[in-house]
């Protein structure tokens, strides 16, 4: 069940319009980081990337709302719904995490890359509950 | 002797609106027999949808008791209510409860995935449902490209996928013209006969009452059986 629902979440996340926004943002911010390698730029871009993810989710809020409604109506447990939301967000984060990890590694900023990835993981884990509450 | 599938006993429900407690359901009593269609008619804001959500385990009553297929909903926790929606009760909301970006097949597949059916069994069950609902050949069409009547049939197919004892339909004809509405209501009649599923319909359209075995009227949170 989990594998199939994870695939369904991935499909909805990838096919949403917000995914295009995230990819474009990742591309733009990587160029900015490479051409302006300043610590204030890194921090700004990481914070803005979290906002970009929130924006991408809001741009697909109708689909996400419908998805959560169907899961609730079909009798899915709250814990499993959180799993689906986390999968959905993780897919949105992957392009950003990938681009930032490559950029920071290219600039020999491995510690910054690790911290950024930890921030993304924490964001994925802790944003499921508020998203569930908002869309429910 | 006819078997009772759902009992609503002395149910009260309050909502807090700008700091004031408003009673949305006032001492509501209802029973639904196996295989019958019950229609609850009343104006918007009378509390019909709230009652349906309580029967579906999506909301809890503040007072009273709700028993569906032997399960006392007031004693179940959130996971228990979720299990009830998996096997016993299906709810069709007014906006159909479908995902526009997925195909007809994928929409019907979701409840079957949650139940844990294997791929082959899912395929044959969905094929049977599509045939029954007259949707064969439309399985790969995205829901956003369907007409209102077709969406309603897909919503019914999704709700029927797990063969529930109680099917709850919130304003199933609200977004349809009368020709399509009649087709949907005839389909609901056929379901109650073929599957012996108990069906509760709430509607503000009085024409829907013709299709019910028993009728209730709801006004300002008070439910009364109509003759």
């Amino acid at each position: 069940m989990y594998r199939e629902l994870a695939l369904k979440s991935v499909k909805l996340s990838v096919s949403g319009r917000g995914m295009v926004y995230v990819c474009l943002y990742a591309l733009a911010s990587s160029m900015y980081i490479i051409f302006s390698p300043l610590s204030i730029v890194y921090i700004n871009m990481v914070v803005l990337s979290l906002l970009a993810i929130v924006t991408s989710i809001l741009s697909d809020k109708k689909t996400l709302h419908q998805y959560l409604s169907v899961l609730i109506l079909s009798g899915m447990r709250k814990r499993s719904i959180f799993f689906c939301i986390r999968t959905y967000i993780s897919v949105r984060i992957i392009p950003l995490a990938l681009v930032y990890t490559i950029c920071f590694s290219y600039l020999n900023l491995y510690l910054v890359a690790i911290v950024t990835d930890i921030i993304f993981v924490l964001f994925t884990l802790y944003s499921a509950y508020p998203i569930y509450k908002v869309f429910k | 002797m006819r078997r009772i599938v759902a009992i609503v006993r002395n149910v009260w429900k309050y909502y807090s609106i700008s700091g004031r407690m408003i009673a949305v359901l006032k001492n509501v009593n209802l029973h639904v027999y196996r295989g019958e269609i019950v229609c609850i008619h009343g104006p918007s804001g009378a509390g019909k949808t709230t009652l349906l959500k309580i029967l579906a385990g999506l909301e809890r009553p503040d007072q009273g008791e709700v028993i569906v297929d032997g399960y006392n909903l007031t004693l179940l926790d959130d996971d228990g209510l979720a299990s009830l929606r998996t096997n016993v009760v299906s709810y069709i909301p007014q906006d159909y409860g479908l995902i526009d970006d997925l195909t007809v097949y994928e929409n019907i597949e979701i409840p079957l995935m949650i139940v844990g059916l294997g791929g082959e069994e899912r395929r044959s069950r969905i094929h049977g449902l599509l045939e029954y609902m007259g949707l064969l050949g439309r399985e790969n069409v995205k829901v956003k490209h369907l007409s209102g009547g077709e969406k309603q049939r897909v919503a019914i197919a999704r709700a029927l996928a797990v063969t529930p004892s109680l099917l709850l339909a919130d304003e199933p004809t609200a977004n349809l013209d009368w020709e399509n509405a009649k087709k949907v209501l005839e389909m609901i009649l056929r379901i109650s006969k073929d599957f012996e599923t108990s069906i509760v319909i709430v509607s503000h359209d009085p024409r829907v009452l013709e299709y019910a075995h028993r009728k209730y009227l709801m006004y300002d949170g008070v439910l009364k059986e109509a003759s």
Side-chain angles (χ1 to χ4, degrees), chain A residues 104-116:
Chain A
F104 290 137
S105 306
Y106 172 75
L107 297 166
N108 290 323
L109 295 164
Y110 295 103
L111 188 66
V112 178
I114 291 165
V115 171
T116 307

Side-chain angles (χ1 to χ4, degrees), chain A residues 76-95:
Chain A
M76 199 170 200
R77 292 175 182 210
K78 204 190 278 184
R79 208 176 39 205
S80 311
I81 294 173
F82 284 2
F83 165 79
C84 289
I85 298 172
R86 283 178 187 137
T87 311
Y88 187 93
I89 300 168
S90 306
V91 174
R92 291 284 161 94
I93 282 178
I94 285 171

Side-chain angles (χ1 to χ4, degrees), chain B residues 21-199:
Chain B
M21 295 302 277
I22 309 267
V24 194
L25 298 179
K26 297 169 185 168
N27 199 29
V28 169
N29 287 284
L30 168 79
H31 59 274
V32 185
Y33 292 104
R34 186 176 171 83
E36 80 167 347
I37 299 176
V38 170
C39 183
I40 301 170
H41 173 67
S44 300
K48 306 185 298 292
T49 300
T50 305
L51 176 59
L52 221 54
K53 284 186 174 176
I54 286 174
L55 274 166
L58 292 165
E59 290 201 27
R60 289 176 184 278
D62 291 314
Q63 281 176 51
E65 204 174 37
V66 181
I67 299 166
V68 178
D69 214 16
Y71 297 96
N72 190 335
L73 271 59
T74 36
L75 300 178
L76 294 176
D77 61 3
D78 286 350
D79 284 350
L81 291 175
S83 299
L84 190 92
R85 285 194 298 275
T86 313
N87 303 306
V88 181
V89 185
S90 279
Y91 174 68
I92 306 169
Q94 195 175 341
D95 63 357
Y96 311 116
L98 300 169
I99 304 165
D100 287 345
D101 287 339
L102 295 183
T103 63
V104 170
Y105 185 94
E106 288 170 320
N107 267 284
I108 303 172
E109 194 181 26
I110 290 176
L112 298 173
M113 278 178 180
I114 293 170
V115 170
L117 283 190
E120 196 50 52
E121 208 175 339
R122 276 205 309 263
R123 258 189 295 280
S124 71
R125 179 86 66 99
I126 294 168
H127 185 270
L129 276 167
L130 290 170
E131 197 174 5
Y132 185 81
M133 303 303 292
L135 288 164
L136 263 187
R138 306 287 279 161
E139 54 266 40
N140 294 321
V141 179
K142 282 193 177 175
V143 166
K144 63 183 167 193
H145 297 132
L146 297 177
S147 66
E150 285 176 320
K151 278 184 189 175
Q152 191 60 265
R153 278 189 281 156
V154 177
I156 295 171
R158 179 193 58 75
L160 277 182
V162 289
T163 51
S165 311
L166 183 63
L167 180 65
L168 308 166
D170 191 359
E171 303 277 5
T173 59
N175 305 319
L176 307 176
D177 58 79
W178 183 237
E179 276 310 303
N180 274 309
K182 267 197 327 198
K183 282 182 195 165
V184 167
L185 291 167
E186 276 155 17
M187 180 70 71
I188 287 174
L189 259 178
R190 195 149 65 90
I191 289 164
S192 81
K193 278 185 195 147
D194 294 348
F195 298 93
E196 278 211 307
T197 305
S198 308
I199 301 170

